[in-house]
mmCIF file of all heavy atoms in Angstrom:
data_model
loop_
_atom_site.group_PDB
_atom_site.id
_atom_site.type_symbol
_atom_site.label_atom_id
_atom_site.label_comp_id
_atom_site.label_asym_id
_atom_site.label_seq_id
_atom_site.Cartn_x
_atom_site.Cartn_y
_atom_site.Cartn_z
ATOM 1 N N VAL A 406 229.277 -55.889 104.663
ATOM 2 C CA VAL A 406 228.990 -57.111 105.398
ATOM 3 C C VAL A 406 230.092 -57.295 106.312
ATOM 4 O O VAL A 406 231.377 -57.452 105.954
ATOM 5 C CB VAL A 406 228.794 -58.271 104.490
ATOM 6 C CG1 VAL A 406 228.672 -59.593 105.188
ATOM 7 C CG2 VAL A 406 227.641 -58.180 103.606
ATOM 8 N N LEU A 407 229.946 -57.469 107.575
ATOM 9 C CA LEU A 407 231.014 -57.786 108.626
ATOM 10 C C LEU A 407 231.196 -59.355 108.689
ATOM 11 O O LEU A 407 232.343 -59.762 108.572
ATOM 12 C CB LEU A 407 230.532 -57.350 109.974
ATOM 13 C CG LEU A 407 231.162 -55.878 110.404
ATOM 14 C CD1 LEU A 407 230.667 -55.587 111.802
ATOM 15 C CD2 LEU A 407 232.726 -55.994 110.335
ATOM 16 N N ALA A 408 230.018 -60.079 108.822
ATOM 17 C CA ALA A 408 230.340 -61.588 109.057
ATOM 18 C C ALA A 408 228.945 -62.257 108.833
ATOM 19 O O ALA A 408 227.881 -61.703 108.985
ATOM 20 C CB ALA A 408 230.674 -61.769 110.432
ATOM 21 N N ASP A 409 229.065 -63.455 108.453
ATOM 22 C CA ASP A 409 227.823 -64.328 108.266
ATOM 23 C C ASP A 409 228.086 -65.473 109.221
ATOM 24 O O ASP A 409 229.099 -66.191 109.173
ATOM 25 C CB ASP A 409 227.688 -64.964 106.880
ATOM 26 C CG ASP A 409 227.424 -63.834 105.826
ATOM 27 O OD1 ASP A 409 226.801 -62.795 106.151
ATOM 28 O OD2 ASP A 409 227.845 -63.944 104.739
ATOM 29 N N VAL A 410 227.007 -65.805 110.108
ATOM 30 C CA VAL A 410 227.274 -66.964 111.083
ATOM 31 C C VAL A 410 226.058 -67.699 111.148
ATOM 32 O O VAL A 410 224.907 -67.318 110.908
ATOM 33 C CB VAL A 410 227.557 -66.244 112.449
ATOM 34 C CG1 VAL A 410 228.839 -65.540 112.416
ATOM 35 C CG2 VAL A 410 226.547 -65.364 113.018
ATOM 36 N N TYR A 411 226.290 -68.983 111.566
ATOM 37 C CA TYR A 411 225.196 -69.828 112.139
ATOM 38 C C TYR A 411 225.323 -69.756 113.726
ATOM 39 O O TYR A 411 226.333 -70.056 114.292
ATOM 40 C CB TYR A 411 225.416 -71.327 111.687
ATOM 41 C CG TYR A 411 225.196 -71.577 110.129
ATOM 42 C CD1 TYR A 411 226.299 -71.926 109.424
ATOM 43 C CD2 TYR A 411 224.037 -71.400 109.674
ATOM 44 C CE1 TYR A 411 226.081 -72.212 108.095
ATOM 45 C CE2 TYR A 411 223.711 -71.639 108.286
ATOM 46 C CZ TYR A 411 224.800 -72.065 107.518
ATOM 47 O OH TYR A 411 224.557 -72.222 106.167
ATOM 48 N N THR A 412 224.193 -69.299 114.245
ATOM 49 C CA THR A 412 224.293 -69.025 115.675
ATOM 50 C C THR A 412 224.575 -70.169 116.602
ATOM 51 O O THR A 412 225.326 -70.204 117.380
ATOM 52 C CB THR A 412 223.003 -68.210 116.154
ATOM 53 O OG1 THR A 412 221.860 -68.967 115.856
ATOM 54 C CG2 THR A 412 223.063 -66.865 115.561
ATOM 55 N N THR A 413 223.759 -71.259 116.372
ATOM 56 C CA THR A 413 223.864 -72.444 117.155
ATOM 57 C C THR A 413 223.663 -73.666 116.223
ATOM 58 O O THR A 413 222.502 -74.290 116.350
ATOM 59 C CB THR A 413 222.757 -72.411 118.234
ATOM 60 O OG1 THR A 413 221.469 -72.154 117.723
ATOM 61 C CG2 THR A 413 223.127 -71.439 119.448
ATOM 62 N N PRO A 414 224.547 -74.085 115.493
ATOM 63 C CA PRO A 414 224.304 -74.990 114.389
ATOM 64 C C PRO A 414 224.045 -76.441 114.910
ATOM 65 O O PRO A 414 223.665 -77.340 114.060
ATOM 66 C CB PRO A 414 225.568 -74.954 113.505
ATOM 67 C CG PRO A 414 226.645 -74.350 114.423
ATOM 68 C CD PRO A 414 225.851 -73.430 115.328
ATOM 69 N N GLY A 415 224.260 -76.705 116.202
ATOM 70 C CA GLY A 415 224.091 -77.986 116.685
ATOM 71 C C GLY A 415 222.611 -78.203 117.094
ATOM 72 O O GLY A 415 222.128 -79.273 117.323
ATOM 73 N N GLY A 416 221.798 -77.061 117.132
ATOM 74 C CA GLY A 416 220.447 -77.254 117.508
ATOM 75 C C GLY A 416 219.403 -76.314 116.836
ATOM 76 O O GLY A 416 218.312 -76.300 117.122
ATOM 77 N N CYS A 417 219.943 -75.442 115.880
ATOM 78 C CA CYS A 417 219.087 -74.490 115.284
ATOM 79 C C CYS A 417 219.702 -74.192 113.832
ATOM 80 O O CYS A 417 220.932 -74.129 113.739
ATOM 81 C CB CYS A 417 218.964 -73.295 116.083
ATOM 82 S SG CYS A 417 217.964 -71.924 115.315
ATOM 83 N N ASP A 418 218.845 -73.958 112.832
ATOM 84 C CA ASP A 418 219.372 -73.671 111.539
ATOM 85 C C ASP A 418 219.433 -72.165 111.232
ATOM 86 O O ASP A 418 219.641 -71.709 110.051
ATOM 87 C CB ASP A 418 218.630 -74.334 110.449
ATOM 88 C CG ASP A 418 217.285 -73.879 110.178
ATOM 89 O OD1 ASP A 418 216.808 -73.027 110.948
ATOM 90 O OD2 ASP A 418 216.592 -74.284 109.133
ATOM 91 N N GLU A 419 219.340 -71.299 112.317
ATOM 92 C CA GLU A 419 219.367 -69.896 112.136
ATOM 93 C C GLU A 419 220.709 -69.431 111.536
ATOM 94 O O GLU A 419 221.757 -69.785 112.028
ATOM 95 C CB GLU A 419 219.201 -69.113 113.459
ATOM 96 C CG GLU A 419 219.234 -67.603 113.273
ATOM 97 C CD GLU A 419 219.091 -66.869 114.538
ATOM 98 O OE1 GLU A 419 219.315 -67.531 115.646
ATOM 99 O OE2 GLU A 419 218.746 -65.662 114.534
ATOM 100 N N ALA A 420 220.655 -68.639 110.424
ATOM 101 C CA ALA A 420 221.772 -67.915 109.844
ATOM 102 C C ALA A 420 221.595 -66.518 110.025
ATOM 103 O O ALA A 420 220.465 -65.956 109.857
ATOM 104 C CB ALA A 420 221.802 -68.325 108.428
ATOM 105 N N VAL A 421 222.621 -65.722 110.340
ATOM 106 C CA VAL A 421 222.612 -64.324 110.594
ATOM 107 C C VAL A 421 223.625 -63.645 109.789
ATOM 108 O O VAL A 421 224.846 -64.067 109.671
ATOM 109 C CB VAL A 421 222.811 -64.010 112.128
ATOM 110 C CG1 VAL A 421 222.849 -62.431 112.355
ATOM 111 C CG2 VAL A 421 221.823 -64.657 113.018
ATOM 112 N N ARG A 422 223.301 -62.578 109.140
ATOM 113 C CA ARG A 422 224.218 -61.718 108.428
ATOM 114 C C ARG A 422 224.312 -60.509 109.326
ATOM 115 O O ARG A 422 223.312 -59.746 109.556
ATOM 116 C CB ARG A 422 223.766 -61.437 106.966
ATOM 117 C CG ARG A 422 224.528 -60.229 106.339
ATOM 118 C CD ARG A 422 224.462 -60.295 104.897
ATOM 119 N NE ARG A 422 225.397 -61.276 104.353
ATOM 120 C CZ ARG A 422 225.761 -61.509 102.977
ATOM 121 N NH1 ARG A 422 225.168 -60.747 102.054
ATOM 122 N NH2 ARG A 422 226.618 -62.464 102.572
ATOM 123 N N ILE A 423 225.585 -60.136 109.660
ATOM 124 C CA ILE A 423 225.946 -58.972 110.425
ATOM 125 C C ILE A 423 226.500 -57.937 109.541
ATOM 126 O O ILE A 423 227.527 -58.087 108.921
ATOM 127 C CB ILE A 423 226.900 -59.255 111.588
ATOM 128 C CG1 ILE A 423 226.421 -60.413 112.539
ATOM 129 C CG2 ILE A 423 227.140 -58.081 112.434
ATOM 130 C CD1 ILE A 423 227.284 -60.953 113.411
ATOM 131 N N PHE A 424 225.838 -56.756 109.449
ATOM 132 C CA PHE A 424 226.233 -55.599 108.693
ATOM 133 C C PHE A 424 227.086 -54.649 109.470
ATOM 134 O O PHE A 424 226.743 -54.439 110.667
ATOM 135 C CB PHE A 424 225.088 -54.836 108.001
ATOM 136 C CG PHE A 424 224.357 -55.664 106.937
ATOM 137 C CD1 PHE A 424 223.277 -56.494 107.272
ATOM 138 C CD2 PHE A 424 224.757 -55.602 105.562
ATOM 139 C CE1 PHE A 424 222.629 -57.243 106.263
ATOM 140 C CE2 PHE A 424 224.091 -56.303 104.618
ATOM 141 C CZ PHE A 424 223.045 -57.141 104.908
ATOM 142 N N LEU A 425 227.929 -53.896 108.834
ATOM 143 C CA LEU A 425 228.564 -52.730 109.458
ATOM 144 C C LEU A 425 227.839 -51.490 108.678
ATOM 145 O O LEU A 425 227.743 -51.435 107.489
ATOM 146 C CB LEU A 425 230.038 -52.651 109.064
ATOM 147 C CG LEU A 425 230.775 -51.362 109.432
ATOM 148 C CD1 LEU A 425 230.698 -51.048 110.963
ATOM 149 C CD2 LEU A 425 232.164 -51.335 108.879
ATOM 150 N N ALA A 426 227.348 -50.538 109.475
ATOM 151 C CA ALA A 426 226.611 -49.372 108.939
ATOM 152 C C ALA A 426 227.376 -48.133 109.458
ATOM 153 O O ALA A 426 227.612 -48.074 110.681
ATOM 154 C CB ALA A 426 225.127 -49.306 109.335
ATOM 155 N N ARG A 427 227.719 -47.292 108.501
ATOM 156 C CA ARG A 427 228.503 -45.980 108.813
ATOM 157 C C ARG A 427 227.789 -44.807 108.240
ATOM 158 O O ARG A 427 226.821 -44.948 107.547
ATOM 159 C CB ARG A 427 229.921 -46.086 108.378
ATOM 160 C CG ARG A 427 230.707 -47.160 109.091
ATOM 161 C CD ARG A 427 232.211 -47.194 108.672
ATOM 162 N NE ARG A 427 232.331 -47.712 107.278
ATOM 163 C CZ ARG A 427 233.458 -47.731 106.498
ATOM 164 N NH1 ARG A 427 234.519 -47.362 107.047
ATOM 165 N NH2 ARG A 427 233.403 -48.228 105.238
ATOM 166 N N ASP A 428 228.253 -43.702 108.525
ATOM 167 C CA ASP A 428 227.697 -42.352 108.070
ATOM 168 C C ASP A 428 226.246 -42.329 108.551
ATOM 169 O O ASP A 428 225.302 -42.330 107.869
ATOM 170 C CB ASP A 428 227.776 -42.272 106.558
ATOM 171 C CG ASP A 428 229.213 -42.113 106.074
ATOM 172 O OD1 ASP A 428 230.045 -41.752 106.830
ATOM 173 O OD2 ASP A 428 229.393 -42.462 104.840
ATOM 174 N N LEU A 429 226.118 -42.341 109.872
ATOM 175 C CA LEU A 429 224.710 -42.347 110.518
ATOM 176 C C LEU A 429 224.149 -41.016 110.589
ATOM 177 O O LEU A 429 224.754 -40.060 110.717
ATOM 178 C CB LEU A 429 224.899 -43.020 111.927
ATOM 179 C CG LEU A 429 225.678 -44.361 112.149
ATOM 180 C CD1 LEU A 429 225.561 -44.688 113.547
ATOM 181 C CD2 LEU A 429 225.037 -45.423 111.219
ATOM 182 N N ALA A 430 222.765 -41.077 110.616
ATOM 183 C CA ALA A 430 222.022 -39.835 110.799
ATOM 184 C C ALA A 430 220.655 -40.306 111.437
ATOM 185 O O ALA A 430 220.256 -41.390 111.274
ATOM 186 C CB ALA A 430 221.854 -39.113 109.463
ATOM 187 N N GLU A 431 220.021 -39.297 111.972
ATOM 188 C CA GLU A 431 218.635 -39.515 112.540
ATOM 189 C C GLU A 431 217.779 -39.766 111.367
ATOM 190 O O GLU A 431 217.713 -39.105 110.391
ATOM 191 C CB GLU A 431 218.178 -38.285 113.312
ATOM 192 C CG GLU A 431 216.910 -38.428 114.054
ATOM 193 C CD GLU A 431 217.096 -39.136 115.455
ATOM 194 O OE1 GLU A 431 218.210 -39.570 115.852
ATOM 195 O OE2 GLU A 431 216.026 -39.367 116.062
ATOM 196 N N ALA A 432 216.840 -40.744 111.549
ATOM 197 C CA ALA A 432 215.916 -41.058 110.419
ATOM 198 C C ALA A 432 214.825 -40.048 110.363
ATOM 199 O O ALA A 432 214.481 -39.464 111.391
ATOM 200 C CB ALA A 432 215.317 -42.456 110.613
ATOM 201 N N GLU A 433 214.260 -39.838 109.173
ATOM 202 C CA GLU A 433 213.158 -38.973 109.023
ATOM 203 C C GLU A 433 211.848 -39.597 109.534
ATOM 204 O O GLU A 433 211.656 -40.720 109.606
ATOM 205 C CB GLU A 433 213.035 -38.472 107.596
ATOM 206 C CG GLU A 433 214.095 -37.632 107.117
ATOM 207 C CD GLU A 433 215.234 -38.498 106.433
ATOM 208 O OE1 GLU A 433 215.009 -39.694 106.310
ATOM 209 O OE2 GLU A 433 216.248 -37.880 105.969
ATOM 210 N N GLY A 434 210.803 -38.654 109.705
ATOM 211 C CA GLY A 434 209.503 -39.276 110.014
ATOM 212 C C GLY A 434 209.285 -39.637 111.521
ATOM 213 O O GLY A 434 210.204 -39.445 112.360
ATOM 214 N N GLU A 435 208.152 -40.137 111.802
ATOM 215 C CA GLU A 435 207.849 -40.531 113.187
ATOM 216 C C GLU A 435 208.567 -41.838 113.537
ATOM 217 O O GLU A 435 208.824 -42.663 112.723
ATOM 218 C CB GLU A 435 206.360 -40.587 113.344
ATOM 219 C CG GLU A 435 205.514 -39.421 113.122
ATOM 220 C CD GLU A 435 204.025 -39.582 113.367
ATOM 221 O OE1 GLU A 435 203.591 -40.743 113.763
ATOM 222 O OE2 GLU A 435 203.269 -38.704 113.179
ATOM 223 N N ARG A 436 208.770 -41.975 114.856
ATOM 224 C CA ARG A 436 209.328 -43.295 115.321
ATOM 225 C C ARG A 436 208.393 -44.441 115.149
ATOM 226 O O ARG A 436 207.250 -44.204 115.271
ATOM 227 C CB ARG A 436 209.705 -43.027 116.893
ATOM 228 C CG ARG A 436 211.033 -42.229 116.956
ATOM 229 C CD ARG A 436 211.455 -42.324 118.513
ATOM 230 N NE ARG A 436 212.738 -41.698 118.595
ATOM 231 C CZ ARG A 436 213.859 -42.381 118.523
ATOM 232 N NH1 ARG A 436 213.830 -43.643 118.383
ATOM 233 N NH2 ARG A 436 215.096 -41.811 118.735
ATOM 234 N N PHE A 437 209.023 -45.542 114.911
ATOM 235 C CA PHE A 437 208.237 -46.748 114.855
ATOM 236 C C PHE A 437 207.718 -47.084 116.197
ATOM 237 O O PHE A 437 208.202 -46.957 117.197
ATOM 238 C CB PHE A 437 209.113 -47.901 114.400
ATOM 239 C CG PHE A 437 208.528 -49.261 114.223
ATOM 240 C CD1 PHE A 437 207.745 -49.526 113.112
ATOM 241 C CD2 PHE A 437 208.677 -50.213 115.248
ATOM 242 C CE1 PHE A 437 207.051 -50.802 112.968
ATOM 243 C CE2 PHE A 437 208.038 -51.478 115.023
ATOM 244 C CZ PHE A 437 207.274 -51.666 113.872
ATOM 245 N N VAL A 438 206.280 -47.488 116.174
ATOM 246 C CA VAL A 438 205.609 -47.816 117.457
ATOM 247 C C VAL A 438 206.018 -49.202 117.909
ATOM 248 O O VAL A 438 205.809 -50.240 117.154
ATOM 249 C CB VAL A 438 204.180 -47.807 117.214
ATOM 250 C CG1 VAL A 438 203.387 -48.255 118.523
ATOM 251 C CG2 VAL A 438 203.687 -46.472 116.787
ATOM 252 N N THR A 439 206.694 -49.356 118.978
ATOM 253 C CA THR A 439 207.290 -50.608 119.506
ATOM 254 C C THR A 439 206.138 -51.326 120.337
ATOM 255 O O THR A 439 205.202 -50.735 120.833
ATOM 256 C CB THR A 439 208.519 -50.396 120.380
ATOM 257 O OG1 THR A 439 208.107 -49.462 121.501
ATOM 258 C CG2 THR A 439 209.576 -49.785 119.501
ATOM 259 N N GLU A 440 206.389 -52.608 120.540
ATOM 260 C CA GLU A 440 205.540 -53.327 121.380
ATOM 261 C C GLU A 440 206.226 -54.520 122.029
ATOM 262 O O GLU A 440 207.418 -54.750 121.782
ATOM 263 C CB GLU A 440 204.342 -54.045 120.496
ATOM 264 C CG GLU A 440 204.835 -54.876 119.397
ATOM 265 C CD GLU A 440 203.723 -55.573 118.585
ATOM 266 O OE1 GLU A 440 202.501 -55.198 118.853
ATOM 267 O OE2 GLU A 440 203.963 -56.301 117.707
ATOM 268 N N HIS A 441 205.626 -55.162 123.011
ATOM 269 C CA HIS A 441 206.171 -56.263 123.792
ATOM 270 C C HIS A 441 207.545 -55.825 124.447
ATOM 271 O O HIS A 441 207.586 -54.772 125.056
ATOM 272 C CB HIS A 441 206.292 -57.486 122.979
ATOM 273 C CG HIS A 441 205.024 -57.818 122.251
ATOM 274 N ND1 HIS A 441 203.894 -58.034 122.856
ATOM 275 C CD2 HIS A 441 204.819 -58.066 120.966
ATOM 276 C CE1 HIS A 441 202.863 -58.317 122.058
ATOM 277 N NE2 HIS A 441 203.404 -58.315 120.836
ATOM 278 N N GLU A 442 208.456 -56.667 124.328
ATOM 279 C CA GLU A 442 209.845 -56.407 124.993
ATOM 280 C C GLU A 442 210.468 -55.004 124.467
ATOM 281 O O GLU A 442 211.199 -54.379 125.207
ATOM 282 C CB GLU A 442 210.784 -57.540 124.751
ATOM 283 C CG GLU A 442 210.474 -58.770 125.510
ATOM 284 C CD GLU A 442 209.609 -59.732 124.731
ATOM 285 O OE1 GLU A 442 209.030 -59.283 123.607
ATOM 286 O OE2 GLU A 442 209.543 -60.961 125.073
ATOM 287 N N GLU A 443 210.186 -54.719 123.289
ATOM 288 C CA GLU A 443 210.742 -53.462 122.683
ATOM 289 C C GLU A 443 210.234 -52.304 123.349
ATOM 290 O O GLU A 443 210.931 -51.203 123.199
ATOM 291 C CB GLU A 443 210.573 -53.457 121.211
ATOM 292 C CG GLU A 443 211.274 -54.598 120.460
ATOM 293 C CD GLU A 443 211.069 -54.581 118.956
ATOM 294 O OE1 GLU A 443 210.188 -53.730 118.631
ATOM 295 O OE2 GLU A 443 211.778 -55.198 118.194
ATOM 296 N N GLN A 444 209.265 -52.269 124.164
ATOM 297 C CA GLN A 444 208.644 -51.098 124.779
ATOM 298 C C GLN A 444 209.525 -50.723 125.923
ATOM 299 O O GLN A 444 209.548 -49.534 126.331
ATOM 300 C CB GLN A 444 207.293 -51.297 125.322
ATOM 301 C CG GLN A 444 206.148 -51.515 124.201
ATOM 302 C CD GLN A 444 204.884 -51.740 124.707
ATOM 303 O OE1 GLN A 444 204.701 -52.529 125.722
ATOM 304 N NE2 GLN A 444 203.816 -51.117 124.199
ATOM 305 N N ASP A 445 210.421 -51.541 126.474
ATOM 306 C CA ASP A 445 211.246 -51.314 127.526
ATOM 307 C C ASP A 445 212.741 -51.219 127.185
ATOM 308 O O ASP A 445 213.593 -51.264 128.066
ATOM 309 C CB ASP A 445 211.106 -52.393 128.593
ATOM 310 C CG ASP A 445 211.668 -52.129 129.936
ATOM 311 O OD1 ASP A 445 211.604 -50.961 130.419
ATOM 312 O OD2 ASP A 445 212.279 -53.030 130.505
ATOM 313 N N MET A 446 213.036 -50.955 125.852
ATOM 314 C CA MET A 446 214.432 -50.909 125.514
ATOM 315 C C MET A 446 215.107 -49.672 125.959
ATOM 316 O O MET A 446 214.627 -48.600 126.033
ATOM 317 C CB MET A 446 214.536 -50.989 123.967
ATOM 318 C CG MET A 446 214.287 -52.357 123.391
ATOM 319 S SD MET A 446 214.866 -52.506 121.632
ATOM 320 C CE MET A 446 213.968 -51.195 120.734
ATOM 321 N N GLY A 447 216.461 -49.912 126.233
ATOM 322 C CA GLY A 447 217.341 -48.766 126.626
ATOM 323 C C GLY A 447 218.266 -48.564 125.409
ATOM 324 O O GLY A 447 218.479 -49.522 124.646
ATOM 325 N N TYR A 448 219.021 -47.513 125.463
ATOM 326 C CA TYR A 448 219.937 -47.125 124.385
ATOM 327 C C TYR A 448 221.302 -46.716 124.962
ATOM 328 O O TYR A 448 221.316 -45.982 125.932
ATOM 329 C CB TYR A 448 219.361 -46.099 123.384
ATOM 330 C CG TYR A 448 218.007 -46.520 122.807
ATOM 331 C CD1 TYR A 448 216.846 -46.339 123.465
ATOM 332 C CD2 TYR A 448 218.002 -47.304 121.603
ATOM 333 C CE1 TYR A 448 215.651 -46.745 122.781
ATOM 334 C CE2 TYR A 448 216.846 -47.659 121.008
ATOM 335 C CZ TYR A 448 215.629 -47.339 121.585
ATOM 336 O OH TYR A 448 214.519 -47.829 121.070
#
Side-chain angles (χ1 to χ4, degrees):
V406 175
L407 262 180
D409 296 328
V410 296
Y411 290 117
T412 53
T413 49
C417 179
D418 71 351
E419 181 184 16
V421 181
R422 170 157 281 189
I423 305 173
F424 290 91
L425 171 66
R427 294 181 291 175
D428 296 337
L429 307 183
E431 189 82 1
E433 294 91 359
E435 296 183 2
R436 283 186 170 271
F437 181 77
V438 178
T439 58
E440 60 181 1
H441 307 307
E442 290 89 346
E443 293 180 348
Q444 292 180 318
D445 192 40
M446 285 196 304
Y448 300 88

